[in-house]
Amino acid sequence: MGTAQNRALRCSVLLCFSILVFLLLSSGRVSGQSLPVFACDFGSNPALENLAFCDTSLGIDMRVADLVKRLTLQEKIRFLVNSAGNVSRLGIPKYEWWSEALHGVSYVGPGTRFSKVVPGATSFPQVILTAASFNASLFEAIGRVVSTEARAMYNVGLAGLTFWSPNINIFRDPRWGRGQETPGEDPLLSSKYGSGYVRGLQQNDDGDPNGLKVAACCKHYTAYDVDNWKGIDRFHFNAMVSRQDLGDTFQPPFKSCVVDGNAASVMCSYNQVNGKPTCADPDLLSGVIRGEWKLNGYIVSDCDSIEVLYNSQRYTKTPEEAAAKAILAGLDLNCGSFLSKYTAGAVKGGFLDEAAIDKAISNNFATLMRLGFFDGDPRKQLYGKLGPKDVCTPEHRELAREAARQGIVLLKNSPGSLPLSPTAFKSLAVIGPNANVTKAMIGNYEGTPCKYTTPLQGLTASVATTYEPGCSNVVCSTAQLEDAKNIAASADATILIMGADKSIEAESRDRIDLRLPGQQQLLVTEVAKVSKGPVILVIMSGGCMDISFAKSDDRITSILWVGYPGEAGGAAIADVIFGYFNPSGRLPMTWYPQSFVGKVPMTNMMMRPDLSNGHPGRTYRFYTGETVYSFGDGLSYSSFNYHLIQVPKLVFIPLEEGHICHSSRCKSLDVGEQHCQNLGFDIQLRVKNMGRMSGSHTVFLFSTPPSIHNSPQKHLVGFEKVFLKAQTETQVRLKVDVCKDLSVVDESGNRKIALGQHVLHVGSLKSSLSLRI
C-alpha cells in the first residue's frame, strides 16, 4: 500500500514538473529570466483599465496630463531623477532611465546588465572607426541591430528602453581621451552619423512616426571636449567659445540629431560655456533645443552635473537655487539624486513653482509613452516576441565584422606589400602589445561581447604565426627587443600591432603626447631593420598618432589604422591584410605632428588660426600646419578615376524687390526661407574602378567658399560610398542645397550665403561656381 502511494506521489510530482517545464518552454522563458518592467499591468490590477493614462486610444498629451494631475508633489519629484521611483497606487513601477548603447548594448549604467540568460551582446567597432567607413546606411543599420538587441534584453528584464547614446561631440583636439567615442572632427560627418544612428535606434517597424523602438540621446551638449588635461577637469572647465565657432562647429551635429534624426533626448554637459553651466542655461536648453529645434522628448543632465554646478562651480549659493535654475532652464531629468533632495525645498523657498516640475515630468512621461511603457505587457506589443535568441545572431556578428572592415584605413602601401597572399606567405611574425588583445578592441562604453576574435587569432586562421608581445602592455616602459627581432628575421612577413588602449586615452584621461607610448617606436624601428619580408604596422587607437618615423621609413612597407575595431576586429584586420576585403576607410580626423601640442593649449577652444600667438587652427577646415595624415586620407588596393558629367558654373539667388543688396554691394546674404526654397542643384560624375579588385570607394565633395567672415579653407559638402567591381564604372549624383551646404557662419553666429566664387572639389578635380543675386 505504501509503495503504491509513493509511486503515485512520484508520478504526480513528475506530472506537475512536466507541466511546469512545458509552460515555461511554451512561454519562451528560460531559467533566471526576469519580467520586463512596465506600467498599466491590467493582469495584476484590472482597475488600472479605468485610468485615462493607461488608455492607448487617447493621444499622448491627454494621457500625460491625466497622469500628472493624479500625482502629489513628492511623487512628481521621484520622476525627475534617473532612478525613478514607483507609485504603486497607480500601477507605476520603478524605472531606471540610465542605459548606454554607444556601439552595442553596454553594461555601463545601472539600467542594463548581462546574465546567463543573455551573457553578451554584439560589440561593434568604436564609433570613430565606424565613422571612417563614411557609409551613412551602415550607421543606421548598426543602430537597428543595437535597438533589436536592446528590446530583446528589455523583454527579459535585463535592460531599459532609454539609451544615452550617441556621443556626437566634435573631435576638436587630438589629445581628447573621448575622441574615440565620436564620429570625428567634421560637423557634416558627425551630423550624418548622429542622425543615422538615432534613426536606427528609434524607428518603429510599424510605421508610427511618433513611436519609439528605443529612445536615443545625443550628448554632450555642448562644446564639451576637455576631460582632464594637465589638472584642468571637465567639472571646473569654462569653455570660452565664440558665437562663430559655436554656430559652425559645435552646434550642427546636435541640431541634426534633433531636427533630422528626431532624437528623443539631448544630454547637457558638465562644462560651462562662456561662464554658464550648460545644464542651467535657458538659452541653450529652452531657447535652442526646445525652442528653435523643437525637441520632441526630454533633456537630461550628465551624471551629477547639477551637483557639479553647485559644489564644484559654485554657480549658486544654495542647492535649492541650483535645482530651480536647472529645471527653469529646461532640464527635465537629473542623472543623479540632486533633484530628489532639493526640489521640494526649491518650491518651498519660492525659487520654483510646481508648474515647472509638471512641465519637466510631462516630457519624461511622454517619452515613456512613445516607448509603450504605459501600454501594458510589452510581450503583447510590437517587439514582444524578441528575446535571447535575437541577441548575438550570426547576422549581427557578421555586421560587426563588416563595419570594422569598412572602417579600417590603409595609410601607406608600398608596391609588393599588401595584400599578402596567404599561399605565397607561409609564416608571419606577429608582434606588439595589441596583437593578442581582447577588451582593448572594444574601447569604452562597452558591453560584454558575443565572442572575441583577436588580431593574432584572425591572422593565424590563414597563415602560421609566431607571436611576441614586445612590450608587457601599451605603456611599453621597456621593449623586449631580442625575441621580437628573432621571429621577424625568420618570418616571411612581419605584422606589428601597436597603439593605445584605455590606459592611454579614455573618459577623464586626456593625452599630453601624440607619439606612440613608451618604447613602442623603438620596437617598431628595430624590428623593421631585421625583418626578412614586408613590414606592416597596424595602429589600434581612438586618436591620432604621430608616426612620421614610420611614414618615412621605407622598411615599413604598409600602415593600417584600425581604431578600436570591436569584437570581430581581429578577423576584420586579417580580411584586409590578406586581401579578402579591399580597404575603403578614410580618416575622420586630422593626424597632427607632436609639435602641435606645444603650439596651443587644449583649453583654447578657438577653431580658427591666430597668427598673433602662433595658434595654427584646428581640424582640416582651419588648420594651417603640417599634418602626418589628413582628414579623408585612405588608400585602396584599387585606383578610382573621376569624370565630371554635370556641374553648374553659375547659380542666381532670388531676392525680393527692394532688398538692400540690389542697391549696395553685399558679400553675403542671410539664410532665409524666402530665397532658400528649392535652391539647389545636382553634381553628377562618373566613377571607375581601374583596379583588378572589386571594392568600395567614398566620393567626397568639398567646397572652398569665398574669403569672407573668416570662412573655412574648405568644408565637406557631401559624401557617397559606392561599390564597384573591377574595371567597372557607375554614375554618382550628389545633391547640393545652396543655403545649407554652401553657406558660412559669420562672426555673430548667423548663417550666411557667401556670394562670389566657390570652388568645388571632387578628388583632384576642381570646378568654380559663382553665386550671384
Side-chain angles (χ1 to χ4, degrees):
M1 180 75 178
T3 306
Q5 284 178 330
N6 288 341
R7 275 202 303 269
L9 182 61
R10 280 200 300 273
C11 287
S12 177
V13 169
L14 285 169
L15 178 63
C16 290
F17 179 73
S18 300
I19 292 169
L20 179 62
V21 169
F22 171 77
L23 289 172
L24 285 172
L25 289 173
S26 63
S27 70
R29 293 187 63 205
V30 295
S31 175
Q33 186 169 305
S34 302
L35 296 174
V37 176
F38 62 96
C40 302
D41 184 357
F42 305 145
S44 62
N45 186 355
L48 297 174
E49 291 191 55
N50 300 318
L51 301 179
F53 69 82
C54 290
D55 185 349
T56 58
S57 70
L58 300 177
I60 285 178
D61 288 347
M62 288 181 64
R63 296 174 69 190
V64 169
D66 177 74
L67 173 54
V68 171
K69 76 180 183 184
R70 295 176 186 274
L71 299 173
T72 66
L73 175 60
Q74 286 302 324
E75 287 171 339
K76 291 173 182 178
I77 289 170
R78 294 180 201 170
F79 296 103
L80 291 172
V81 293
N82 65 285
S83 296
N86 66 309
V87 181
S88 54
R89 65 184 178 84
L90 297 176
I92 303 172
K94 290 181 177 180
Y95 177 72
E96 177 53 64
W97 286 80
W98 182 6
S99 289
E100 302 276 356
L102 182 67
H103 52 106
V105 180
S106 170
Y107 47 56
V108 176
T112 302
R113 61 190 173 88
F114 293 97
S115 71
K116 289 181 180 178
V117 178
V118 180
T122 309
S123 187
F124 290 91
Q126 185 59 291
V127 175
I128 193 72
L129 188 71
T130 296
S133 73
F134 283 88
N135 185 347
S137 63
L138 178 65
F139 307 157
E140 196 165 325
I142 293 172
R144 283 196 297 272
V145 166
V146 174
S147 59
T148 293
E149 296 197 347
R151 269 283 178 176
M153 290 178 67
Y154 167 73
N155 285 346
V156 293
L158 294 175
L161 293 169
T162 45
F163 289 83
W164 293 347
S165 305
N167 178 344
I168 53 167
N169 292 117
I170 293 293
F171 198 170
R172 172 189 63 95
D173 190 288
R175 292 163 283 194
W176 189 29
R178 300 188 74 176
Q180 59 176 287
E181 301 174 30
T182 77
E185 71 180 36
D186 180 68
L188 178 74
L189 174 59
S190 298
S191 297
K192 296 279 189 187
Y193 178 85
S195 58
Y197 189 63
V198 165
R199 280 192 296 271
L201 288 176
Q202 293 192 166
Q203 280 185 348
N204 253 340
D205 293 330
D206 64 358
D208 178 4
N210 201 39
L212 295 169
K213 190 176 179 186
V214 301
C217 174
C218 297
K219 62 185 186 183
H220 312 80
Y221 181 83
T222 184
Y224 167 73
D225 53 19
V226 173
D227 262 65
N228 193 344
W229 179 78
K230 293 188 175 182
I232 299 166
D233 67 40
R234 57 187 176 168
F235 307 122
H236 299 86
F237 181 55
N238 178 20
M240 299 302 293
V241 186
S242 71
R243 289 184 178 181
Q244 187 171 35
D245 286 342
L246 200 63
D248 75 358
T249 296
F250 299 109
Q251 295 291 73
F254 288 98
K255 180 178 181 179
S256 182
C257 227
V258 174
V259 175
D260 303 323
N262 195 23
S265 178
V266 174
M267 176 184 284
C268 52
S269 53
Y270 290 113
N271 57 292
Q272 296 186 354
V273 173
N274 300 329
K276 284 186 180 179
T278 62
C279 291
D281 188 334
D283 295 327
L284 285 176
L285 304 189
S286 295
V288 175
I289 297 177
R290 206 170 286 287
E292 292 180 24
W293 301 342
K294 310 299 181 192
L295 173 72
N296 179 16
Y298 69 101
I299 299 173
V300 59
S301 74
D302 205 340
C303 295
D304 298 318
S305 60
I306 307 176
E307 184 177 346
V308 164
L309 73 86
Y310 170 65
N311 281 325
S312 301
Q313 298 173 3
R314 305 292 182 190
Y315 190 66
T316 62
K317 291 180 180 178
T318 66
E320 290 78 13
E321 287 176 277
K325 277 190 177 291
I327 293 170
L328 292 172
L331 189 80
D332 302 308
L333 189 73
N334 166 210
C335 177
S337 58
F338 196 88
L339 290 187
S340 65
K341 295 174 183 175
Y342 299 110
T343 301
V347 173
K348 189 176 181 181
F351 299 115
L352 185 69
D353 60 25
E354 196 169 340
I357 298 169
D358 291 350
K359 188 175 178 183
I361 61 171
S362 292
N363 292 324
N364 300 338
F365 286 140
T367 304
L368 289 176
M369 286 185 183
R370 293 171 64 199
L371 287 160
F373 185 81
F374 285 89
D375 293 355
D377 192 339
R379 291 166 298 177
K380 298 176 182 176
Q381 296 177 34
L382 179 62
Y383 297 106
K385 301 240 183 309
L386 294 176
K389 71 183 188 310
D390 301 294
V391 184
C392 289
T393 66
E395 294 80 11
H396 293 179
R397 294 175 59 196
E398 178 57 29
L399 185 64
R401 182 171 179 170
E402 175 65 15
R405 282 191 294 238
Q406 287 198 29
I408 289 172
V409 182
L410 178 62
L411 292 170
K412 176 183 177 180
N413 200 27
S414 305
S417 186
L418 291 179
L420 301 180
S421 165
T423 53
F425 288 82
K426 303 296 185 185
S427 62
L428 293 180
V430 182
I431 298 166
N434 277 336
N436 199 32
V437 291
T438 53
K439 200 167 180 185
M441 291 197 302
I442 58 177
N444 63 358
Y445 280 82
E446 74 283 10
T448 303
C450 309
K451 180 187 176 184
Y452 287 111
T453 303
T454 73
L456 180 61
Q457 289 170 335
L459 295 165
T460 305
S462 288
V463 173
T465 59
T466 50
Y467 163 62
E468 284 292 337
C471 305
S472 58
N473 53 46
V474 293
V475 175
C476 198
S477 302
T478 305
Q480 292 104 45
L481 297 175
E482 291 311 309
D483 289 342
K485 288 164 68 174
N486 287 339
I487 66 169
S490 59
D492 291 342
T494 297
I495 317 289
L496 287 148
I497 306 179
M498 318 300 285
D501 63 16
K502 288 194 290 185
S503 69
I504 303 295
E505 52 179 0
E507 186 170 12
S508 300
R509 183 174 290 122
D510 297 325
R511 292 193 286 163
I512 56 173
D513 199 304
L514 302 183
R515 292 168 293 202
L516 287 175
Q519 293 193 346
Q520 286 193 36
Q521 179 173 330
L522 176 67
L523 176 63
V524 171
T525 303
E526 291 301 307
V527 166
K529 285 178 184 177
V530 300
S531 293
K532 184 175 82 170
V535 177
I536 292 91
L537 174 61
V538 177
I539 301 295
M540 189 182 292
S541 69
C544 73
M545 293 286 179
D546 183 349
I547 51 169
S548 305
F549 76 95
K551 183 180 181 182
S552 59
D553 187 340
D554 291 340
R555 291 167 300 201
I556 298 169
T557 54
S558 299
I559 301 173
L560 289 167
W561 175 69
V562 301
Y564 294 119
E567 64 171 43
I573 290 167
D575 289 340
V576 171
I577 284 176
F578 292 119
Y580 308 139
F581 186 87
N582 195 346
S584 61
R586 310 285 277 271
L587 287 181
M589 73 295 203
T590 302
W591 282 36
Y592 300 85
Q594 172 64 18
S595 59
F596 175 85
V597 303
K599 292 177 180 175
V600 56
M602 192 176 171
T603 48
N604 181 329
M605 298 293 291
M606 285 179 60
M607 297 300 299
R608 290 159 168 80
D610 185 347
L611 298 179
S612 68
N613 61 18
H615 183 343
R618 284 193 172 91
T619 77
Y620 79 94
R621 294 183 303 139
F622 302 108
Y623 178 59
T624 55
E626 294 294 317
T627 63
V628 179
Y629 289 104
S630 299
F631 175 89
D633 277 358
L635 304 171
S636 167
Y637 297 148
S638 301
S639 60
F640 295 84
N641 278 6
Y642 296 159
H643 175 73
L644 283 173
I645 299 171
Q646 175 186 320
V647 58
K649 296 290 183 184
L650 177 64
V651 172
F652 284 102
I653 315 293
L655 290 183
E656 65 274 16
E657 265 187 69
H659 192 286
I660 190 171
C661 290
H662 284 303
S663 56
S664 61
R665 198 174 173 87
C666 292
K667 292 185 177 181
S668 63
L669 296 168
D670 287 329
V671 170
E673 284 184 22
Q674 197 164 4
H675 46 258
C676 285
Q677 204 165 7
N678 301 319
L679 189 61
F681 58 86
D682 291 351
I683 291 178
Q684 289 186 56
L685 65 150
R686 195 159 52 242
V687 183
K688 184 172 184 180
N689 180 350
M690 307 296 288
R692 290 178 292 177
M693 282 185 73
S694 300
S696 294
H697 177 72
T698 298
V699 178
F700 290 122
L701 174 62
F702 290 97
S703 171
T704 297
S707 297
I708 59 168
H709 301 308
N710 209 358
S711 58
Q713 301 170 122
K714 67 173 183 177
H715 67 272
L716 188 61
V717 170
F719 57 88
E720 188 71 35
K721 191 149 194 171
V722 294
F723 177 81
L724 285 168
K725 291 183 178 179
Q727 298 293 316
T728 65
E729 63 181 43
T730 190
Q731 283 193 22
V732 174
R733 183 191 302 263
L734 294 163
K735 293 188 173 295
V736 178
D737 180 320
V738 170
C739 292
K740 186 176 180 182
D741 300 324
L742 299 183
S743 57
V744 297
V745 173
D746 71 10
E747 293 80 356
S748 300
N750 301 310
R751 194 157 281 279
K752 303 271 192 174
I753 305 168
L755 299 174
Q757 290 294 118
H758 296 247
V759 179
L760 302 175
H761 311 246
V762 182
S764 60
L765 304 179
K766 294 183 181 180
S767 180
S768 291
L769 168 70
S770 181
L771 294 186
R772 297 184 194 170
I773 58 172

